[in-house]
Coordinates of all heavy atoms in Angstrom, one line a residue:
M1 N 196.2 39.4 71.3 CA 195.5 40.2 72.4 C 195.7 41.6 72.2 O 196.8 42.0 72.3 CB 195.9 39.5 73.8 CG 195.3 40.3 74.9 SD 193.7 39.6 75.4 CE 193.0 41.0 76.2
T2 N 194.6 42.3 72.0 CA 194.8 43.6 72.0 C 194.8 44.2 73.4 O 194.7 43.6 74.3 CB 193.6 44.4 71.2 OG1 192.4 43.9 71.8 CG2 193.6 44.0 69.7
G3 N 195.1 45.6 73.6 CA 195.1 46.1 74.9 C 194.0 46.0 75.7 O 192.8 45.9 75.2
V4 N 194.1 46.1 77.0 CA 193.1 46.0 78.0 C 193.1 47.3 78.8 O 192.6 47.4 79.9 CB 193.1 44.8 78.9 CG1 192.8 43.6 78.2 CG2 194.5 44.7 79.6
D5 N 193.6 48.4 78.1 CA 193.7 49.7 78.8 C 192.5 50.5 78.9 O 192.4 51.5 79.7 CB 194.9 50.5 78.3 CG 196.2 49.6 78.4 OD1 196.4 48.9 79.4 OD2 197.2 50.0 77.7
D6 N 191.6 50.3 77.9 CA 190.5 51.2 77.8 C 189.3 50.6 78.6 O 188.7 49.6 78.2 CB 190.1 51.4 76.3 CG 189.1 52.5 76.0 OD1 188.3 52.8 76.9 OD2 189.2 53.0 75.0
C7 N 188.7 51.4 79.6 CA 187.6 50.9 80.4 C 186.3 50.5 79.5 O 185.5 49.9 80.0 CB 187.2 51.9 81.4 SG 188.6 52.2 82.6
R8 N 186.2 51.3 78.3 CA 185.0 51.2 77.6 C 185.0 50.1 76.6 O 184.0 49.9 76.0 CB 184.7 52.5 76.9 CG 184.4 53.7 77.8 CD 184.7 55.1 77.2 NE 186.0 55.1 76.6 CZ 186.4 56.0 75.7 NH1 185.6 56.9 75.4 NH2 187.7 55.9 75.3
V9 N 186.1 49.4 76.4 CA 186.2 48.3 75.4 C 186.2 47.1 76.0 O 187.0 46.7 76.9 CB 187.7 48.5 74.6 CG1 187.8 47.3 73.7 CG2 187.7 49.9 73.9
D10 N 185.3 46.2 75.7 CA 185.2 44.8 76.3 C 186.2 44.0 75.6 O 186.1 43.9 74.4 CB 183.6 44.4 75.8 CG 183.4 43.0 76.4 OD1 184.4 42.3 77.1 OD2 182.4 42.7 76.3
P11 N 187.1 43.5 76.4 CA 188.2 42.7 75.8 C 187.8 41.2 75.6 O 188.7 40.5 75.0 CB 189.2 42.8 77.1 CG 188.4 43.0 78.3 CD 187.2 43.7 77.8
G12 N 186.5 40.9 75.9 CA 186.2 39.5 75.6 C 186.6 38.5 76.8 O 187.1 39.1 77.9
V13 N 186.4 37.3 76.6 CA 186.9 36.4 77.7 C 188.3 36.5 77.9 O 189.1 36.3 76.9 CB 186.3 35.1 77.3 CG1 186.7 34.0 78.4 CG2 184.7 35.0 77.3
L14 N 188.7 36.6 79.1 CA 190.3 36.7 79.3 C 190.8 35.4 80.0 O 190.2 34.6 80.6 CB 190.6 37.7 80.3 CG 190.1 39.2 79.9 CD1 190.3 40.2 81.1 CD2 190.9 39.7 78.8
T15 N 192.1 35.2 79.6 CA 192.8 34.1 80.1 C 193.4 34.6 81.5 O 193.1 35.6 81.9 CB 194.1 33.7 79.3 OG1 195.0 34.9 79.3 CG2 193.7 33.3 77.8
G16 N 193.9 33.6 82.4 CA 194.3 34.1 83.7 C 195.4 35.1 83.6 O 195.3 36.1 84.5
D17 N 196.4 35.0 82.7 CA 197.4 36.0 82.5 C 196.8 37.4 82.2 O 197.1 38.4 82.8 CB 198.5 35.6 81.4 CG 199.3 34.5 81.9 OD1 199.9 34.7 83.1 OD2 199.8 33.7 81.1
D18 N 195.9 37.4 81.1 CA 195.3 38.6 80.8 C 194.3 39.2 81.8 O 194.5 40.5 82.0 CB 194.5 38.4 79.5 CG 195.4 38.2 78.3 OD1 196.5 38.6 78.3 OD2 194.9 37.5 77.4
A19 N 193.9 38.3 82.6 CA 193.0 38.9 83.7 C 193.8 39.6 84.8 O 193.5 40.6 85.3 CB 192.2 37.7 84.3
V20 N 195.0 39.0 85.1 CA 195.9 39.6 86.0 C 196.3 40.9 85.5 O 196.4 41.9 86.2 CB 197.1 38.7 86.3 CG1 198.1 39.5 87.1 CG2 196.6 37.4 87.1
R21 N 196.7 41.0 84.2 CA 197.1 42.1 83.6 C 196.0 43.2 83.7 O 196.3 44.4 84.1 CB 197.8 41.9 82.2 CG 198.6 43.0 81.7 CD 199.5 42.3 80.5 NE 198.7 41.6 79.6 CZ 198.2 42.1 78.5 NH1 198.3 43.4 78.3 NH2 197.5 41.4 77.6
A22 N 194.9 42.9 83.3 CA 193.8 43.8 83.3 C 193.4 44.3 84.5 O 193.2 45.5 84.8 CB 192.6 43.1 82.7
M23 N 193.4 43.3 85.6 CA 193.1 43.8 86.9 C 194.1 44.7 87.5 O 193.8 45.6 88.2 CB 192.9 42.6 87.8 CG 192.2 42.9 89.1 SD 190.7 43.8 89.1 CE 189.6 42.5 89.0
S24 N 195.4 44.4 87.2 CA 196.4 45.4 87.8 C 196.3 46.8 87.1 O 196.6 47.8 87.9 CB 197.8 44.8 87.3 OG 198.1 45.0 86.0
V25 N 195.7 47.0 86.1 CA 195.4 48.3 85.3 C 194.1 48.8 86.0 O 194.0 50.1 86.2 CB 195.4 48.1 83.9 CG1 195.0 49.6 83.3 CG2 196.7 47.7 83.3
H26 N 193.1 48.0 86.2 CA 191.8 48.4 86.5 C 191.1 48.2 87.8 O 190.0 48.3 88.1 CB 190.8 47.9 85.4 CG 191.2 48.3 84.0 ND1 190.7 49.4 83.5 CD2 191.8 47.6 83.0 CE1 191.1 49.6 82.2 NE2 191.8 48.4 81.9
Y27 N 192.1 47.7 88.7 CA 191.4 47.3 89.9 C 190.8 48.4 90.8 O 189.9 48.3 91.6 CB 192.4 46.5 90.8 CG 193.5 47.2 91.5 CD1 193.3 48.0 92.7 CD2 194.8 47.2 90.9 CE1 194.4 48.8 93.2 CE2 195.8 48.0 91.3 CZ 195.6 48.7 92.5 OH 196.6 49.4 93.2
G28 N 191.2 49.7 90.4 CA 190.6 50.9 91.1 C 189.5 51.4 90.4 O 188.8 52.5 90.8
C29 N 188.9 50.7 89.3 CA 187.9 51.3 88.5 C 186.5 51.0 89.0 O 186.5 49.9 89.9 CB 188.1 50.8 87.1 SG 189.3 51.4 86.1
P30 N 185.6 51.7 88.6 CA 184.3 51.4 89.0 C 183.7 50.1 88.4 O 184.4 49.5 87.4 CB 183.3 52.6 88.6 CG 184.2 53.2 87.5 CD 185.6 52.9 87.8
P31 N 182.6 49.5 88.9 CA 182.1 48.2 88.5 C 181.8 48.3 87.0 O 181.7 47.2 86.3 CB 180.9 47.9 89.3 CG 181.1 48.8 90.5 CD 181.9 49.9 90.1
Q32 N 181.5 49.5 86.5 CA 181.1 49.6 85.0 C 182.2 49.3 84.0 O 182.1 49.1 82.9 CB 180.6 50.9 84.8 CG 179.3 51.3 85.5 CD 179.6 52.0 86.8 OE1 180.6 51.6 87.5 NE2 178.8 52.9 87.1
C33 N 183.4 49.4 84.6 CA 184.7 49.1 83.8 C 184.6 47.7 83.3 O 184.7 46.8 83.8 CB 186.0 49.3 84.6 SG 187.4 48.9 83.8
L34 N 184.7 47.7 81.8 CA 184.5 46.3 81.3 C 185.7 45.4 81.4 O 185.5 44.3 81.7 CB 184.1 46.6 79.7 CG 182.8 47.2 79.5 CD1 182.6 47.5 77.9 CD2 181.6 46.2 79.8
P35 N 186.8 45.9 81.3 CA 188.1 44.9 81.5 C 188.0 44.4 82.8 O 188.4 43.3 83.2 CB 189.2 45.9 81.2 CG 188.8 47.0 80.3 CD 187.3 47.2 80.6
R36 N 187.7 45.4 83.9 CA 187.7 44.9 85.3 C 186.6 43.8 85.4 O 186.8 42.7 86.0 CB 187.2 46.0 86.0 CG 187.3 45.7 87.5 CD 186.7 46.7 88.4 NE 186.1 46.2 89.6 CZ 186.5 46.4 90.8 NH1 187.5 47.1 91.1 NH2 186.0 45.6 91.9
C37 N 185.5 44.0 84.7 CA 184.4 43.0 84.8 C 184.9 41.7 84.3 O 184.5 40.6 84.9 CB 183.2 43.6 84.1 SG 181.7 42.7 84.3
R38 N 185.5 41.7 83.2 CA 185.9 40.5 82.5 C 187.0 39.9 83.4 O 187.1 38.6 83.5 CB 186.5 40.8 81.1 CG 185.6 41.2 80.0 CD 184.7 40.0 79.7 NE 183.9 40.2 78.5 CZ 183.1 39.3 78.1 NH1 182.9 38.2 78.5 NH2 182.4 39.6 76.9
A39 N 187.9 40.7 84.0 CA 189.0 40.2 84.8 C 188.5 39.5 85.9 O 189.0 38.3 86.4 CB 190.0 41.2 85.1
E40 N 187.4 40.1 86.6 CA 186.9 39.4 87.8 C 186.3 37.9 87.3 O 186.5 37.0 88.1 CB 185.8 40.3 88.4 CG 186.4 41.4 89.1 CD 185.3 42.2 89.8 OE1 184.1 41.7 90.1 OE2 185.4 43.4 90.1
D41 N 185.5 38.0 86.4 CA 185.1 36.9 85.7 C 186.1 35.8 85.6 O 186.0 34.6 86.1 CB 184.3 36.9 84.5 CG 183.0 37.7 84.6 OD1 182.5 37.8 85.9 OD2 182.4 38.0 83.6
A42 N 187.1 36.1 84.9 CA 188.2 35.2 84.5 C 188.9 34.7 85.9 O 189.2 33.5 85.9 CB 189.2 35.9 83.7
M43 N 189.1 35.6 86.8 CA 189.8 35.2 88.0 C 189.0 34.4 88.9 O 189.7 33.4 89.5 CB 190.3 36.6 88.8 CG 191.3 37.1 88.0 SD 192.3 38.0 89.3 CE 192.7 39.4 88.4
T44 N 187.8 34.7 89.0 CA 187.0 33.7 89.7 C 187.0 32.3 89.1 O 187.2 31.3 89.8 CB 185.5 34.2 89.7 OG1 185.4 35.6 90.1 CG2 184.6 33.4 90.6
R45 N 186.9 32.3 87.8 CA 187.0 31.1 87.1 C 188.3 30.3 87.2 O 188.5 29.1 87.7 CB 186.9 31.2 85.6 CG 186.5 30.0 84.9 CD 186.3 30.4 83.3 NE 187.5 31.1 82.8 CZ 187.4 32.2 82.1 NH1 186.4 32.9 82.0 NH2 188.6 32.7 81.7
E46 N 189.4 31.1 87.0 CA 190.8 30.6 87.2 C 191.2 30.2 88.6 O 191.7 29.1 88.8 CB 191.8 31.5 86.7 CG 191.8 31.7 85.1 CD 192.1 30.6 84.3 OE1 192.8 29.8 84.7 OE2 191.3 30.3 83.2
F47 N 190.7 31.0 89.6 CA 191.1 30.8 90.9 C 190.4 29.5 91.5 O 191.0 28.8 92.1 CB 190.6 32.0 91.7 CG 191.2 31.9 93.1 CD1 192.6 32.2 93.3 CD2 190.4 31.9 94.3 CE1 193.1 32.0 94.6 CE2 190.9 31.8 95.4 CZ 192.2 31.9 95.7
V48 N 189.1 29.3 90.9 CA 188.5 28.0 91.4 C 189.3 27.0 90.9 O 189.5 25.9 91.6 CB 187.1 28.1 90.9 CG1 186.4 26.7 91.1 CG2 186.3 29.0 91.7
K49 N 189.7 27.0 89.6 CA 190.6 25.9 89.0 C 191.8 25.6 89.8 O 192.1 24.5 90.0 CB 190.9 26.4 87.5 CG 191.0 25.2 86.6 CD 190.8 25.7 85.2 CE 191.8 26.5 84.7 NZ 191.6 27.1 83.3
V50 N 192.5 26.7 90.2 CA 193.8 26.6 90.8 C 193.6 26.1 92.2 O 194.3 25.2 92.6 CB 194.3 28.1 91.1 CG1 195.7 27.9 92.0 CG2 194.8 28.6 89.7
A51 N 192.5 26.4 92.8 CA 192.2 25.8 94.1 C 192.0 24.4 94.2 O 192.3 23.6 95.0 CB 191.0 26.7 94.8
R52 N 191.4 24.0 92.9 CA 191.0 22.6 92.7 C 192.2 21.8 92.4 O 192.4 20.7 92.7 CB 190.0 22.5 91.7 CG 189.2 21.2 91.9 CD 188.0 21.2 90.8 NE 187.0 22.3 91.1 CZ 186.3 22.9 90.3 NH1 186.4 22.6 89.0 NH2 185.3 23.8 90.6
I53 N 193.0 22.4 91.6 CA 194.2 21.6 91.0 C 195.6 22.2 91.3 O 196.0 23.0 90.5 CB 194.2 21.3 89.5 CG1 192.6 21.1 89.0 CG2 195.1 20.4 89.0 CD1 192.4 21.0 87.5
P54 N 196.0 22.1 92.5 CA 197.3 22.8 92.9 C 198.5 22.3 91.9 O 198.4 21.1 91.6 CB 197.6 22.3 94.3 CG 196.3 21.8 94.8 CD 195.6 21.2 93.6
G55 N 199.3 23.2 91.6 CA 200.4 22.8 90.7 C 200.1 22.9 89.2 O 200.9 22.9 88.4
E56 N 198.8 23.0 88.9 CA 198.4 23.2 87.6 C 198.8 24.6 87.0 O 199.0 24.7 85.8 CB 196.9 23.0 87.5 CG 196.3 23.2 86.0 CD 196.3 21.9 85.2 OE1 196.9 21.0 85.8 OE2 195.9 22.1 84.1
W57 N 198.9 25.6 87.9 CA 199.1 26.9 87.6 C 200.5 27.4 88.0 O 201.0 26.8 88.9 CB 198.2 27.8 88.2 CG 197.4 28.6 87.3 CD1 196.9 28.2 86.1 CD2 196.7 29.8 87.7 NE1 196.0 29.2 85.5 CE2 196.0 30.3 86.5 CE3 196.7 30.7 88.7 CZ2 195.2 31.4 86.5 CZ3 196.0 31.8 88.7 CH2 195.3 32.2 87.6
D58 N 201.0 28.3 87.3 CA 202.2 28.8 87.8 C 202.2 29.4 89.2 O 201.1 30.2 89.4 CB 202.6 30.0 86.7 CG 204.0 30.7 87.0 OD1 203.8 31.6 87.8 OD2 205.0 30.4 86.4
A59 N 203.0 29.1 90.0 CA 202.9 29.6 91.4 C 202.9 31.0 91.6 O 202.1 31.6 92.4 CB 203.9 29.0 92.3
D60 N 203.7 31.8 90.9 CA 203.8 33.3 91.0 C 202.3 33.9 90.5 O 201.9 34.7 91.2 CB 204.8 33.8 90.0 CG 206.3 33.5 90.5 OD1 206.3 33.2 91.7 OD2 207.2 33.5 89.8
L61 N 201.8 33.4 89.4 CA 200.6 33.8 89.0 C 199.4 33.5 90.0 O 198.7 34.5 90.1 CB 200.4 33.3 87.5 CG 199.1 33.7 86.8 CD1 199.1 35.2 86.6 CD2 198.9 32.9 85.6
A62 N 199.5 32.4 90.4 CA 198.5 32.0 91.5 C 198.6 33.0 92.7 O 197.5 33.4 93.1 CB 198.7 30.6 92.0
E63 N 199.8 33.3 93.0 CA 200.0 34.3 94.1 C 199.4 35.6 93.8 O 198.8 36.2 94.6 CB 201.5 34.3 94.4 CG 201.8 35.1 95.8 CD 200.9 34.8 97.1 OE1 200.7 33.6 97.2 OE2 200.7 35.7 97.8
K64 N 199.7 36.1 92.5 CA 199.3 37.4 92.1 C 197.7 37.4 92.2 O 197.2 38.4 92.7 CB 199.7 37.6 90.7 CG 200.9 38.7 90.6 CD 201.1 38.9 89.2 CE 202.5 38.2 88.8 NZ 202.7 38.3 87.4
V65 N 197.2 36.3 91.7 CA 195.7 36.3 91.8 C 195.2 36.3 93.2 O 194.2 36.9 93.4 CB 195.2 35.1 91.0 CG1 193.7 34.9 91.2 CG2 195.5 35.1 89.5
R66 N 195.8 35.6 94.1 CA 195.4 35.6 95.4 C 195.5 37.0 96.0 O 194.6 37.5 96.6 CB 196.4 34.6 96.2 CG 195.6 33.5 97.0 CD 196.6 32.5 97.6 NE 196.4 31.3 96.9 CZ 197.3 30.6 96.2 NH1 198.6 31.1 96.2 NH2 197.1 29.5 95.7
Q67 N 196.6 37.7 95.7 CA 196.7 39.1 96.3 C 195.7 40.0 95.8 O 195.1 40.8 96.4 CB 198.1 39.6 95.9 CG 199.2 39.0 96.7 CD 200.6 39.4 96.2 OE1 200.8 40.1 95.1 NE2 201.6 38.8 96.8
I68 N 195.5 39.9 94.4 CA 194.4 40.8 93.8 C 193.0 40.5 94.2 O 192.2 41.4 94.6 CB 194.5 40.6 92.3 CG1 195.8 41.4 91.8 CG2 193.3 41.4 91.5 CD1 196.3 41.1 90.3
T69 N 192.7 39.1 94.3 CA 191.3 38.8 94.8 C 191.2 39.4 96.2 O 190.0 39.8 96.6 CB 191.0 37.3 94.6 OG1 192.1 36.7 95.4 CG2 191.0 37.0 93.3
E70 N 192.3 39.5 97.1 CA 192.1 40.1 98.4 C 191.8 41.6 98.3 O 191.2 42.1 99.2 CB 193.4 39.9 99.2 CG 193.3 38.5 99.9 CD 194.8 38.2 100.5 OE1 195.5 39.1 100.6 OE2 195.0 37.0 100.6
L71 N 192.2 42.1 97.2 CA 192.0 43.7 97.0 C 190.5 44.0 96.6 O 190.1 45.1 96.9 CB 192.8 44.3 96.0 CG 194.3 44.3 96.3 CD1 195.2 44.8 95.1 CD2 194.6 45.1 97.5
L72 N 189.9 43.0 96.2 CA 188.5 43.2 95.6 C 187.4 43.4 96.7 O 187.6 42.8 97.8 CB 188.0 42.0 94.7 CG 188.9 42.0 93.5 CD1 188.4 40.7 92.6 CD2 188.9 43.1 92.6
Ligands
LIG1 ZN1 189.0 50.5 83.9

């Protein structure tokens, strides 16, 4: 996985971990920010999965996603 620090570079489809990392860097960015856009997509996808299958995900990561999605 290459860096997700550059707003103009599309990181592609992100995993849950990468999405949390990207969002922690980019949550203050405008909607045009590509990593932020990908992170939102991934988190929406992952969060739905977590909500459906409790215990499937690392609890800390799930908590992080919960906190971040509240910031959006
Ligand atoms: Zn950004």
Side-chain angles (χ1 to χ4, degrees):
M1 174 84 204
T2 52
V4 291
D5 296 336
D6 192 333
C7 296
R8 294 160 304 172
V9 176
D10 184 350
V13 175
L14 299 174
T15 63
D17 280 321
D18 288 332
V20 169
R21 201 153 50 88
M23 190 55 89
S24 70
V25 175
H26 295 281
Y27 70 85
C29 288
Q32 298 90 321
C33 170
L34 292 171
R36 185 195 149 111
C37 191
R38 289 292 193 177
E40 280 184 28
D41 285 352
M43 283 207 221
T44 305
R45 191 182 62 233
E46 294 295 325
F47 191 68
V48 166
K49 209 160 65 185
V50 173
R52 203 176 292 151
I53 316 167
E56 178 80 358
W57 240 31
D58 182 275
D60 290 343
L61 184 56
E63 183 54 32
K64 253 185 256 168
V65 171
R66 237 170 247 124
Q67 287 168 1
I68 288 168
T69 49
E70 276 170 20
L71 296 173
L72 298 178

